[in-house]
Amino acid sequence: SSDEAQFSSSKLSATNGAVGNFWSYNFNTIYSCNQIIEKLKKSAKIPTAIAGSLIGEAKFIRAFCLFYLTNLFGDVPIITSTNYSVNASFSRQPANQVHKQIINDLVEAEELLSPDFSYSNGERDQPNRFAAAALLARTYLYTAKWDSAEIEATKIINESGTYGLVA
């Protein structure tokens, strides 16, 4: 069967090209996020507020990629640097460790990101504080941290002024 049909039938083969592409694409994206974080932390030319927002976006995207990687593959490597020789030797980490990294990235992203879309001229094409809170709430649900999930979801509803429950 085709690579895509294997997803709908829940019968993925080890040779499924879409799965390999998903793995590669997400780890390439994680590498780019790590590069952005490393460069921004060393830059003296970029204003602190802008650098912080960009680091927040990179941490959000890294967490987003790890979230979907661990949901598809379970245990995955946790790559947080651009050092290729170090990264090449990393093995898969237990999903609970991956979830800890996701949570850490999202908590930091939530602190660094703007609550609105001011950095994107009002366009909703960049993550904001509440996008980080939403993915954090979802991660807490996946890890059975019900109270923490409720806190994050309530924060989105009460503080955003934009998002809420649909009747």
Side-chain angles (χ1 to χ4, degrees):
S1 65
S2 73
D3 287 348
E4 291 79 18
Q6 290 179 14
F7 280 93
S8 61
S9 67
S10 297
K11 295 179 181 176
L12 292 173
S13 73
T15 59
N16 185 302
V19 172
N21 290 340
F22 184 83
W23 178 274
S24 298
Y25 176 79
N26 279 282
F27 276 107
N28 287 336
T29 302
I30 289 170
Y31 180 87
S32 295
C33 291
N34 293 338
Q35 192 170 38
I36 289 166
I37 293 165
E38 288 174 8
K39 299 287 185 185
L40 286 169
K41 285 183 176 180
K42 292 179 184 175
S43 175
K45 295 182 180 182
I46 298 175
T48 305
I50 293 172
S53 180
L54 293 171
I55 289 170
E57 288 183 35
K59 288 188 177 239
F60 172 85
I61 293 168
R62 182 170 69 188
F64 183 87
C65 291
L66 283 171
F67 180 84
Y68 284 101
L69 281 163
T70 198
N71 283 316
L72 182 59
F73 296 105
D75 301 346
V76 297
I78 301 172
I79 308 293
T80 58
S81 82
T82 58
N83 186 325
Y84 180 78
S85 59
V86 171
N87 293 346
S89 66
F90 278 146
S91 60
R92 292 178 183 226
Q93 298 298 307
N96 67 334
Q97 292 298 318
V98 179
H99 284 119
K100 283 182 184 178
Q101 179 65 46
I102 293 166
I103 290 166
N104 289 341
D105 277 349
L106 291 172
V107 166
E108 289 181 40
E110 199 174 1
E111 292 172 6
L112 293 168
L113 291 169
S114 171
D116 55 23
F117 297 97
S118 56
Y119 282 105
S120 59
N121 296 321
E123 296 293 325
R124 294 180 178 209
D125 58 1
Q126 291 176 258
N128 67 8
R129 179 175 302 146
F130 299 109
L135 186 54
L136 185 54
R138 188 170 184 190
T139 303
Y140 285 141
L141 288 174
Y142 275 62
T143 57
K145 295 179 180 175
W146 314 119
D147 292 342
S148 297
E150 181 182 10
I151 289 167
E152 290 301 317
T154 301
K155 186 186 312 179
I156 296 165
I157 294 167
N158 291 342
E159 296 177 19
S160 71
T162 303
Y163 311 106
L165 297 174
V166 178

